[in-house]
Amino acid sequence: MSRLSVANVSGGRTQERFRLADGRQHTSGPLAETTDALASRLRQRAELTPEFWSFSGRSRREGGHGIFAYPAMMVPQLQGALLEDVQAVDPTVSSVFDPFMGSGTVMLESVSRGLSFYGTDVNPLAVLLATVKSNAYDPEQLTHVRQKIAVRVTEDISSQIAVDFTNRDKWFRTDVAVDLSKLKRAISAERRKSVRQAFWVALAETIRLVSNSRTSTVKLHSYSPEEIVSRQIDTIDTFLRISASQIEQLKDQAEALSQGFDRNPDLTISCTVADARIVPAAKYRATADVLMTSPPYGDNVTTVTYGQHSYLPLQWIDPRDVPGMKGELLENTHSIDSISLGGRLKGSLESADDLCSKSPAFAHCLDQLQGRPRNAQTRMVAFVRDLDVSIDAILPRLRSDAWMFWTLGERKISGVRVPTVSIVRDLLVTRGARHVETLDRKIPGGAKRMAARNASVETMNTESILVMRGPHNADRGSGS
Ligand SMILES: C[S@@+](CC[C@H](N)C(=O)[O-])C[C@H]1O[C@@H](n2cnc3c(N)ncnc32)[C@H](O)[C@@H]1O
């Protein structure tokens, strides 16, 4: 081990930074102590309970975590265990950032542990879900409103369909569309926005079940005409059942949130629609102690079509109640997916050289893709290019030496496994971050729900949690 430099003073104690024999940087002093303490806690969990990180049989989505079947959600208990471990080794931790927030799994786990939370997502439905999950609702009030909605629906004898969009009749039977319209009118009549938002989520989950799109895939995929005619659907009853169970879950959620506020009355929550590739102006930027996130596993078009999955519910929900909703996001079924990570393929190969210089794992994968269809290379590069741009935008939102937990899945494209875990690690190391540990887990029950399988893309049934420490402020590289 050769000495690299004598660096900063932290908490009154001088830290010495070293370059290890394998080229990694390491520190002595309090920073290294907390890093080592976390690594050993994480390892111990698996030593004491083999397959601990798989959370097999321990991943039930309880409390607000179960209010909507958003695709590729994280395991709440797993992220909760990671937060507890980081809080144990670093009691100064008080805030968490999730730039790819999805349904807000990390939000609820953070807030219930007394941590402030900042989250973003490009998909407004995700932000609506997270917003509802961040509210401590009064279950009695919700039960009362649910009864009022049931009465309004019974009294509504109109057969007018409340929404109009391309292919509406392909995705909804007329009787279903009439009942959804009654529900839409009944929810809209509720005075309080936050309460309407809770019922919009129940309506979204109802739509997932009663539309003509199969629930077995997250892509829009219609039942056959014969199946559509013969399906037994009671839309109103489905909604009332879902909203009743949702109220129970929101009751547990309110308790979890109030525990968090008891631990830290000053905690703040912010869930907004934003693109993780864009750095917000400094005045809108909070710096978090922890990054806990799970970016998509690949471009949304071929892996998980979050946008398509949200397209039908978003057609029915009043856009004024959906944070960040804009009409152009519903122009077609691909609009949200095309503004998501890896959604824009044009010009992506121009970034290949730069990415090769930052990531040996990327360079190796690109070599393996030589001779395969050009589209496979373009997709892989576009996705990594966007991840790289996101990292540039994410790091300024973190404190010096922030803790980072990246839950990452890998996929095969044209038969070649894209080593996303090594690529993200490389992209972070090139900016001065340090590797702490990689936790591998099997996904119980197989791969997360993906777009329909196709010949060119295959997703794995394992995922990894890449644990890193962010760059030290003095060392922040530009990444180039
Ligand atoms: C794996 S999911 C996150 C799931 C989440 N952890 C949960 O438990 O629900 C990835 C998310 O990244 C979002 N996303 C894709 N591209 C994005 C971008 N450029 N900026 C912000 N969010 C993006 C998707 O809409 C999706 O919600």
Side-chain angles (χ1 to χ4, degrees), residues 376-414:
Q377 298 168 33
T378 316
R379 284 198 180 285
M380 198 280 280
V381 180
F383 178 68
V384 176
R385 171 203 61 196
D386 284 0
L387 260 180
D388 185 56
V389 176
S390 307
I391 290 172
D392 268 338
I394 289 167
L395 294 182
R397 307 190 70 176
L398 301 176
R399 75 163 203 215
S400 184
D401 304 305
W403 300 96
M404 298 199 215
F405 300 89
W406 296 79
T407 298
L408 300 165
E410 297 192 343
R411 67 202 169 123
K412 273 190 190 165
I413 183 159
S414 240

mmCIF file of all heavy atoms in Angstrom, residues 376-414:
data_model
loop_
_atom_site.group_PDB
_atom_site.id
_atom_site.type_symbol
_atom_site.label_atom_id
_atom_site.label_comp_id
_atom_site.label_asym_id
_atom_site.label_seq_id
_atom_site.Cartn_x
_atom_site.Cartn_y
_atom_site.Cartn_z
ATOM 1 N N ALA A 376 -28.999 -3.648 -31.642
ATOM 2 C CA ALA A 376 -28.638 -4.136 -30.304
ATOM 3 C C ALA A 376 -27.565 -3.219 -29.710
ATOM 4 O O ALA A 376 -27.614 -2.840 -28.534
ATOM 5 C CB ALA A 376 -28.128 -5.564 -30.397
ATOM 6 N N GLN A 377 -26.587 -2.838 -30.561
ATOM 7 C CA GLN A 377 -25.521 -1.941 -30.071
ATOM 8 C C GLN A 377 -26.105 -0.572 -29.721
ATOM 9 O O GLN A 377 -25.795 0.004 -28.674
ATOM 10 C CB GLN A 377 -24.456 -1.748 -31.147
ATOM 11 C CG GLN A 377 -23.765 -3.028 -31.536
ATOM 12 C CD GLN A 377 -22.930 -2.842 -32.802
ATOM 13 O OE1 GLN A 377 -22.381 -1.779 -33.054
ATOM 14 N NE2 GLN A 377 -22.835 -3.883 -33.598
ATOM 15 N N THR A 378 -26.948 -0.068 -30.603
ATOM 16 C CA THR A 378 -27.514 1.268 -30.396
ATOM 17 C C THR A 378 -28.288 1.320 -29.080
ATOM 18 O O THR A 378 -28.163 2.256 -28.308
ATOM 19 C CB THR A 378 -28.491 1.599 -31.556
ATOM 20 O OG1 THR A 378 -27.888 1.196 -32.755
ATOM 21 C CG2 THR A 378 -28.817 3.056 -31.604
ATOM 22 N N ARG A 379 -29.087 0.283 -28.820
ATOM 23 C CA ARG A 379 -29.888 0.261 -27.594
ATOM 24 C C ARG A 379 -29.003 0.213 -26.353
ATOM 25 O O ARG A 379 -29.250 0.898 -25.374
ATOM 26 C CB ARG A 379 -30.796 -0.973 -27.572
ATOM 27 C CG ARG A 379 -31.973 -0.830 -28.460
ATOM 28 C CD ARG A 379 -33.084 -1.822 -28.148
ATOM 29 N NE ARG A 379 -34.160 -1.591 -29.079
ATOM 30 C CZ ARG A 379 -35.000 -0.563 -29.013
ATOM 31 N NH1 ARG A 379 -34.911 0.297 -28.028
ATOM 32 N NH2 ARG A 379 -35.924 -0.390 -29.921
ATOM 33 N N MET A 380 -27.986 -0.623 -26.414
ATOM 34 C CA MET A 380 -27.113 -0.768 -25.249
ATOM 35 C C MET A 380 -26.415 0.565 -24.983
ATOM 36 O O MET A 380 -26.387 1.058 -23.859
ATOM 37 C CB MET A 380 -26.103 -1.882 -25.542
ATOM 38 C CG MET A 380 -25.394 -2.463 -24.351
ATOM 39 S SD MET A 380 -24.030 -1.480 -23.741
ATOM 40 C CE MET A 380 -22.722 -1.871 -24.857
ATOM 41 N N VAL A 381 -25.893 1.183 -26.042
ATOM 42 C CA VAL A 381 -25.136 2.430 -25.856
ATOM 43 C C VAL A 381 -26.068 3.548 -25.392
ATOM 44 O O VAL A 381 -25.729 4.322 -24.487
ATOM 45 C CB VAL A 381 -24.406 2.834 -27.161
ATOM 46 C CG1 VAL A 381 -23.636 4.130 -26.949
ATOM 47 C CG2 VAL A 381 -23.459 1.732 -27.614
ATOM 48 N N ALA A 382 -27.277 3.622 -25.970
ATOM 49 C CA ALA A 382 -28.203 4.709 -25.594
ATOM 50 C C ALA A 382 -28.533 4.622 -24.112
ATOM 51 O O ALA A 382 -28.583 5.637 -23.402
ATOM 52 C CB ALA A 382 -29.482 4.613 -26.417
ATOM 53 N N PHE A 383 -28.723 3.410 -23.631
ATOM 54 C CA PHE A 383 -29.080 3.254 -22.218
ATOM 55 C C PHE A 383 -27.909 3.651 -21.313
ATOM 56 O O PHE A 383 -28.079 4.408 -20.351
ATOM 57 C CB PHE A 383 -29.515 1.793 -21.960
ATOM 58 C CG PHE A 383 -29.840 1.544 -20.527
ATOM 59 C CD1 PHE A 383 -30.964 2.131 -19.948
ATOM 60 C CD2 PHE A 383 -29.020 0.770 -19.725
ATOM 61 C CE1 PHE A 383 -31.270 1.933 -18.608
ATOM 62 C CE2 PHE A 383 -29.305 0.557 -18.392
ATOM 63 C CZ PHE A 383 -30.439 1.135 -17.830
ATOM 64 N N VAL A 384 -26.715 3.186 -21.650
ATOM 65 C CA VAL A 384 -25.553 3.506 -20.802
ATOM 66 C C VAL A 384 -25.235 5.011 -20.893
ATOM 67 O O VAL A 384 -24.893 5.647 -19.898
ATOM 68 C CB VAL A 384 -24.335 2.625 -21.172
ATOM 69 C CG1 VAL A 384 -23.118 3.020 -20.355
ATOM 70 C CG2 VAL A 384 -24.660 1.156 -20.960
ATOM 71 N N ARG A 385 -25.374 5.571 -22.101
ATOM 72 C CA ARG A 385 -25.166 7.027 -22.243
ATOM 73 C C ARG A 385 -26.085 7.781 -21.278
ATOM 74 O O ARG A 385 -25.656 8.683 -20.566
ATOM 75 C CB ARG A 385 -25.471 7.435 -23.690
ATOM 76 C CG ARG A 385 -25.496 8.939 -23.926
ATOM 77 C CD ARG A 385 -26.316 9.316 -25.153
ATOM 78 N NE ARG A 385 -27.704 8.902 -25.017
ATOM 79 C CZ ARG A 385 -28.571 8.820 -26.027
ATOM 80 N NH1 ARG A 385 -28.187 9.083 -27.252
ATOM 81 N NH2 ARG A 385 -29.834 8.445 -25.825
ATOM 82 N N ASP A 386 -27.361 7.366 -21.213
ATOM 83 C CA ASP A 386 -28.310 8.071 -20.349
ATOM 84 C C ASP A 386 -28.003 7.848 -18.864
ATOM 85 O O ASP A 386 -28.172 8.747 -18.039
ATOM 86 C CB ASP A 386 -29.745 7.642 -20.665
ATOM 87 C CG ASP A 386 -30.241 8.283 -21.954
ATOM 88 O OD1 ASP A 386 -29.478 9.047 -22.573
ATOM 89 O OD2 ASP A 386 -31.400 8.028 -22.333
ATOM 90 N N LEU A 387 -27.543 6.639 -18.542
ATOM 91 C CA LEU A 387 -27.152 6.383 -17.146
ATOM 92 C C LEU A 387 -25.988 7.299 -16.763
ATOM 93 O O LEU A 387 -25.954 7.880 -15.681
ATOM 94 C CB LEU A 387 -26.663 4.946 -17.007
ATOM 95 C CG LEU A 387 -27.605 3.900 -16.436
ATOM 96 C CD1 LEU A 387 -26.901 2.559 -16.396
ATOM 97 C CD2 LEU A 387 -28.094 4.254 -15.049
ATOM 98 N N ASP A 388 -25.046 7.425 -17.704
ATOM 99 C CA ASP A 388 -23.856 8.249 -17.474
ATOM 100 C C ASP A 388 -24.258 9.724 -17.263
ATOM 101 O O ASP A 388 -23.781 10.374 -16.331
ATOM 102 C CB ASP A 388 -22.946 8.110 -18.703
ATOM 103 C CG ASP A 388 -21.632 8.822 -18.547
ATOM 104 O OD1 ASP A 388 -20.921 8.531 -17.577
ATOM 105 O OD2 ASP A 388 -21.322 9.689 -19.398
ATOM 106 N N VAL A 389 -25.173 10.194 -18.101
ATOM 107 C CA VAL A 389 -25.636 11.578 -17.952
ATOM 108 C C VAL A 389 -26.361 11.733 -16.612
ATOM 109 O O VAL A 389 -26.199 12.740 -15.905
ATOM 110 C CB VAL A 389 -26.564 11.971 -19.142
ATOM 111 C CG1 VAL A 389 -27.142 13.353 -18.962
ATOM 112 C CG2 VAL A 389 -25.812 11.878 -20.456
ATOM 113 N N SER A 390 -27.139 10.718 -16.229
ATOM 114 C CA SER A 390 -27.861 10.793 -14.945
ATOM 115 C C SER A 390 -26.872 10.896 -13.789
ATOM 116 O O SER A 390 -27.104 11.648 -12.842
ATOM 117 C CB SER A 390 -28.705 9.544 -14.699
ATOM 118 O OG SER A 390 -29.534 9.291 -15.759
ATOM 119 N N ILE A 391 -25.800 10.123 -13.857
ATOM 120 C CA ILE A 391 -24.841 10.145 -12.745
ATOM 121 C C ILE A 391 -24.268 11.553 -12.590
ATOM 122 O O ILE A 391 -24.118 12.059 -11.469
ATOM 123 C CB ILE A 391 -23.747 9.069 -12.953
ATOM 124 C CG1 ILE A 391 -24.385 7.683 -12.779
ATOM 125 C CG2 ILE A 391 -22.583 9.258 -11.980
ATOM 126 C CD1 ILE A 391 -23.496 6.519 -13.125
ATOM 127 N N ASP A 392 -24.001 12.207 -13.721
ATOM 128 C CA ASP A 392 -23.521 13.595 -13.642
ATOM 129 C C ASP A 392 -24.529 14.508 -12.951
ATOM 130 O O ASP A 392 -24.165 15.456 -12.282
ATOM 131 C CB ASP A 392 -23.271 14.144 -15.059
ATOM 132 C CG ASP A 392 -21.840 13.911 -15.493
ATOM 133 O OD1 ASP A 392 -20.975 13.726 -14.614
ATOM 134 O OD2 ASP A 392 -21.589 13.890 -16.714
ATOM 135 N N ALA A 393 -25.806 14.226 -13.165
ATOM 136 C CA ALA A 393 -26.843 15.080 -12.578
ATOM 137 C C ALA A 393 -27.144 14.690 -11.129
ATOM 138 O O ALA A 393 -27.605 15.511 -10.342
ATOM 139 C CB ALA A 393 -28.118 14.983 -13.417
ATOM 140 N N ILE A 394 -26.870 13.436 -10.785
ATOM 141 C CA ILE A 394 -27.196 12.946 -9.439
ATOM 142 C C ILE A 394 -26.139 13.377 -8.419
ATOM 143 O O ILE A 394 -26.464 13.793 -7.306
ATOM 144 C CB ILE A 394 -27.332 11.395 -9.457
ATOM 145 C CG1 ILE A 394 -28.610 10.989 -10.189
ATOM 146 C CG2 ILE A 394 -27.291 10.811 -8.051
ATOM 147 C CD1 ILE A 394 -28.701 9.503 -10.535
ATOM 148 N N LEU A 395 -24.871 13.291 -8.800
ATOM 149 C CA LEU A 395 -23.810 13.527 -7.810
ATOM 150 C C LEU A 395 -23.873 14.910 -7.155
ATOM 151 O O LEU A 395 -23.650 15.009 -5.940
ATOM 152 C CB LEU A 395 -22.418 13.257 -8.419
ATOM 153 C CG LEU A 395 -22.179 11.784 -8.787
ATOM 154 C CD1 LEU A 395 -20.776 11.578 -9.338
ATOM 155 C CD2 LEU A 395 -22.420 10.855 -7.601
ATOM 156 N N PRO A 396 -24.197 15.987 -7.904
ATOM 157 C CA PRO A 396 -24.276 17.286 -7.208
ATOM 158 C C PRO A 396 -25.392 17.347 -6.167
ATOM 159 O O PRO A 396 -25.450 18.282 -5.391
ATOM 160 C CB PRO A 396 -24.576 18.281 -8.343
ATOM 161 C CG PRO A 396 -24.297 17.557 -9.603
ATOM 162 C CD PRO A 396 -24.430 16.101 -9.330
ATOM 163 N N ARG A 397 -26.275 16.335 -6.175
ATOM 164 C CA ARG A 397 -27.381 16.332 -5.221
ATOM 165 C C ARG A 397 -27.059 15.507 -3.981
ATOM 166 O O ARG A 397 -27.922 15.240 -3.160
ATOM 167 C CB ARG A 397 -28.642 15.810 -5.898
ATOM 168 C CG ARG A 397 -28.920 16.574 -7.188
ATOM 169 C CD ARG A 397 -30.237 16.263 -7.758
ATOM 170 N NE ARG A 397 -31.304 16.805 -6.928
ATOM 171 C CZ ARG A 397 -32.585 16.748 -7.235
ATOM 172 N NH1 ARG A 397 -32.950 16.206 -8.342
ATOM 173 N NH2 ARG A 397 -33.496 17.262 -6.439
ATOM 174 N N LEU A 398 -25.782 15.121 -3.869
ATOM 175 C CA LEU A 398 -25.366 14.314 -2.718
ATOM 176 C C LEU A 398 -24.282 15.027 -1.945
ATOM 177 O O LEU A 398 -23.472 15.750 -2.524
ATOM 178 C CB LEU A 398 -24.835 12.963 -3.201
ATOM 179 C CG LEU A 398 -25.817 12.107 -4.001
ATOM 180 C CD1 LEU A 398 -25.131 10.846 -4.499
ATOM 181 C CD2 LEU A 398 -27.033 11.754 -3.153
ATOM 182 N N ARG A 399 -24.249 14.760 -0.658
ATOM 183 C CA ARG A 399 -23.190 15.339 0.168
ATOM 184 C C ARG A 399 -21.852 14.660 -0.174
ATOM 185 O O ARG A 399 -21.827 13.633 -0.863
ATOM 186 C CB ARG A 399 -23.519 15.132 1.651
ATOM 187 C CG ARG A 399 -23.284 13.709 2.095
ATOM 188 C CD ARG A 399 -23.193 13.554 3.612
ATOM 189 N NE ARG A 399 -22.464 12.348 3.918
ATOM 190 C CZ ARG A 399 -22.707 11.549 4.956
ATOM 191 N NH1 ARG A 399 -23.664 11.835 5.818
ATOM 192 N NH2 ARG A 399 -21.984 10.479 5.170
ATOM 193 N N SER A 400 -20.794 15.206 0.328
ATOM 194 C CA SER A 400 -19.481 14.594 0.166
ATOM 195 C C SER A 400 -19.508 13.203 0.825
ATOM 196 O O SER A 400 -20.098 13.038 1.898
ATOM 197 C CB SER A 400 -18.473 15.501 0.867
ATOM 198 O OG SER A 400 -17.182 15.040 0.690
ATOM 199 N N ASP A 401 -18.915 12.211 0.175
ATOM 200 C CA ASP A 401 -18.834 10.847 0.723
ATOM 201 C C ASP A 401 -20.201 10.243 1.040
ATOM 202 O O ASP A 401 -20.349 9.484 2.006
ATOM 203 C CB ASP A 401 -17.964 10.813 1.998
ATOM 204 C CG ASP A 401 -16.582 11.354 1.758
ATOM 205 O OD1 ASP A 401 -15.900 10.845 0.851
ATOM 206 O OD2 ASP A 401 -16.175 12.299 2.475
ATOM 207 N N ALA A 402 -21.190 10.592 0.229
ATOM 208 C CA ALA A 402 -22.545 10.061 0.471
ATOM 209 C C ALA A 402 -22.555 8.543 0.341
ATOM 210 O O ALA A 402 -21.736 7.961 -0.370
ATOM 211 C CB ALA A 402 -23.512 10.666 -0.538
ATOM 212 N N TRP A 403 -23.509 7.917 1.011
ATOM 213 C CA TRP A 403 -23.718 6.475 0.863
ATOM 214 C C TRP A 403 -24.573 6.240 -0.370
ATOM 215 O O TRP A 403 -25.545 6.967 -0.580
ATOM 216 C CB TRP A 403 -24.449 5.927 2.088
ATOM 217 C CG TRP A 403 -23.709 6.140 3.372
ATOM 218 C CD1 TRP A 403 -23.883 7.165 4.257
ATOM 219 C CD2 TRP A 403 -22.688 5.310 3.915
ATOM 220 N NE1 TRP A 403 -23.032 7.018 5.312
ATOM 221 C CE2 TRP A 403 -22.280 5.885 5.140
ATOM 222 C CE3 TRP A 403 -22.063 4.129 3.485
ATOM 223 C CZ2 TRP A 403 -21.283 5.328 5.927
ATOM 224 C CZ3 TRP A 403 -21.080 3.574 4.285
ATOM 225 C CH2 TRP A 403 -20.702 4.185 5.495
ATOM 226 N N MET A 404 -24.224 5.215 -1.148
ATOM 227 C CA MET A 404 -25.033 4.951 -2.346
ATOM 228 C C MET A 404 -25.429 3.477 -2.401
ATOM 229 O O MET A 404 -24.575 2.609 -2.213
ATOM 230 C CB MET A 404 -24.208 5.217 -3.602
ATOM 231 C CG MET A 404 -23.750 6.606 -3.760
ATOM 232 S SD MET A 404 -23.331 6.773 -5.512
ATOM 233 C CE MET A 404 -22.003 7.845 -5.366
ATOM 234 N N PHE A 405 -26.690 3.243 -2.683
ATOM 235 C CA PHE A 405 -27.219 1.881 -2.845
ATOM 236 C C PHE A 405 -27.952 1.831 -4.185
ATOM 237 O O PHE A 405 -29.018 2.435 -4.336
ATOM 238 C CB PHE A 405 -28.196 1.546 -1.712
ATOM 239 C CG PHE A 405 -27.565 1.624 -0.346
ATOM 240 C CD1 PHE A 405 -27.562 2.822 0.358
ATOM 241 C CD2 PHE A 405 -26.961 0.515 0.225
ATOM 242 C CE1 PHE A 405 -26.970 2.910 1.612
ATOM 243 C CE2 PHE A 405 -26.368 0.596 1.483
ATOM 244 C CZ PHE A 405 -26.368 1.792 2.180
ATOM 245 N N TRP A 406 -27.362 1.154 -5.142
ATOM 246 C CA TRP A 406 -27.967 1.034 -6.480
ATOM 247 C C TRP A 406 -28.497 -0.384 -6.649
ATOM 248 O O TRP A 406 -27.702 -1.327 -6.683
ATOM 249 C CB TRP A 406 -26.922 1.285 -7.563
ATOM 250 C CG TRP A 406 -26.325 2.654 -7.609
ATOM 251 C CD1 TRP A 406 -25.353 3.164 -6.804
ATOM 252 C CD2 TRP A 406 -26.651 3.697 -8.546
ATOM 253 N NE1 TRP A 406 -25.060 4.462 -7.170
ATOM 254 C CE2 TRP A 406 -25.840 4.807 -8.239
ATOM 255 C CE3 TRP A 406 -27.545 3.789 -9.621
ATOM 256 C CZ2 TRP A 406 -25.892 5.996 -8.968
ATOM 257 C CZ3 TRP A 406 -27.602 4.973 -10.349
ATOM 258 C CH2 TRP A 406 -26.782 6.061 -10.013
ATOM 259 N N THR A 407 -29.803 -0.544 -6.747
ATOM 260 C CA THR A 407 -30.368 -1.865 -7.030
ATOM 261 C C THR A 407 -30.443 -2.009 -8.546
ATOM 262 O O THR A 407 -31.118 -1.225 -9.221
ATOM 263 C CB THR A 407 -31.763 -2.012 -6.377
ATOM 264 O OG1 THR A 407 -31.598 -1.893 -4.966
ATOM 265 C CG2 THR A 407 -32.394 -3.353 -6.706
ATOM 266 N N LEU A 408 -29.709 -2.989 -9.071
ATOM 267 C CA LEU A 408 -29.515 -3.071 -10.528
ATOM 268 C C LEU A 408 -29.837 -4.464 -11.045
ATOM 269 O O LEU A 408 -29.477 -5.465 -10.410
ATOM 270 C CB LEU A 408 -28.066 -2.745 -10.879
ATOM 271 C CG LEU A 408 -27.580 -1.354 -10.460
ATOM 272 C CD1 LEU A 408 -26.055 -1.289 -10.517
ATOM 273 C CD2 LEU A 408 -28.187 -0.276 -11.348
ATOM 274 N N GLY A 409 -30.488 -4.501 -12.175
ATOM 275 C CA GLY A 409 -30.754 -5.788 -12.820
ATOM 276 C C GLY A 409 -30.010 -5.828 -14.135
ATOM 277 O O GLY A 409 -29.729 -4.783 -14.725
ATOM 278 N N GLU A 410 -29.690 -7.029 -14.579
ATOM 279 C CA GLU A 410 -28.985 -7.137 -15.864
ATOM 280 C C GLU A 410 -29.858 -7.872 -16.861
ATOM 281 O O GLU A 410 -30.805 -8.555 -16.489
ATOM 282 C CB GLU A 410 -27.642 -7.855 -15.661
ATOM 283 C CG GLU A 410 -26.745 -7.040 -14.736
ATOM 284 C CD GLU A 410 -25.300 -7.503 -14.707
ATOM 285 O OE1 GLU A 410 -25.015 -8.635 -15.133
ATOM 286 O OE2 GLU A 410 -24.455 -6.699 -14.245
ATOM 287 N N ARG A 411 -29.560 -7.689 -18.113
ATOM 288 C CA ARG A 411 -30.346 -8.362 -19.155
ATOM 289 C C ARG A 411 -29.399 -8.778 -20.272
ATOM 290 O O ARG A 411 -28.278 -8.272 -20.352
ATOM 291 C CB ARG A 411 -31.385 -7.409 -19.710
ATOM 292 C CG ARG A 411 -30.690 -6.281 -20.455
ATOM 293 C CD ARG A 411 -31.496 -5.061 -20.606
ATOM 294 N NE ARG A 411 -30.662 -3.989 -21.099
ATOM 295 C CZ ARG A 411 -30.902 -3.310 -22.198
ATOM 296 N NH1 ARG A 411 -31.945 -3.589 -22.921
ATOM 297 N NH2 ARG A 411 -30.093 -2.348 -22.563
ATOM 298 N N LYS A 412 -29.903 -9.686 -21.098
ATOM 299 C CA LYS A 412 -29.134 -10.068 -22.280
ATOM 300 C C LYS A 412 -29.722 -9.327 -23.452
ATOM 301 O O LYS A 412 -30.940 -9.210 -23.561
ATOM 302 C CB LYS A 412 -29.271 -11.562 -22.531
ATOM 303 C CG LYS A 412 -28.277 -12.394 -21.773
ATOM 304 C CD LYS A 412 -28.362 -13.813 -22.302
ATOM 305 C CE LYS A 412 -27.558 -14.738 -21.424
ATOM 306 N NZ LYS A 412 -27.906 -16.132 -21.689
ATOM 307 N N ILE A 413 -28.860 -8.817 -24.295
ATOM 308 C CA ILE A 413 -29.357 -8.190 -25.507
ATOM 309 C C ILE A 413 -28.642 -8.867 -26.673
ATOM 310 O O ILE A 413 -27.418 -8.973 -26.653
ATOM 311 C CB ILE A 413 -29.184 -6.651 -25.431
ATOM 312 C CG1 ILE A 413 -29.742 -5.951 -26.638
ATOM 313 C CG2 ILE A 413 -27.793 -6.199 -25.168
ATOM 314 C CD1 ILE A 413 -30.054 -4.483 -26.393
ATOM 315 N N SER A 414 -29.420 -9.413 -27.582
ATOM 316 C CA SER A 414 -28.873 -10.202 -28.689
ATOM 317 C C SER A 414 -27.934 -11.294 -28.170
ATOM 318 O O SER A 414 -26.866 -11.528 -28.716
ATOM 319 C CB SER A 414 -28.108 -9.286 -29.636
ATOM 320 O OG SER A 414 -28.659 -9.340 -30.900
#
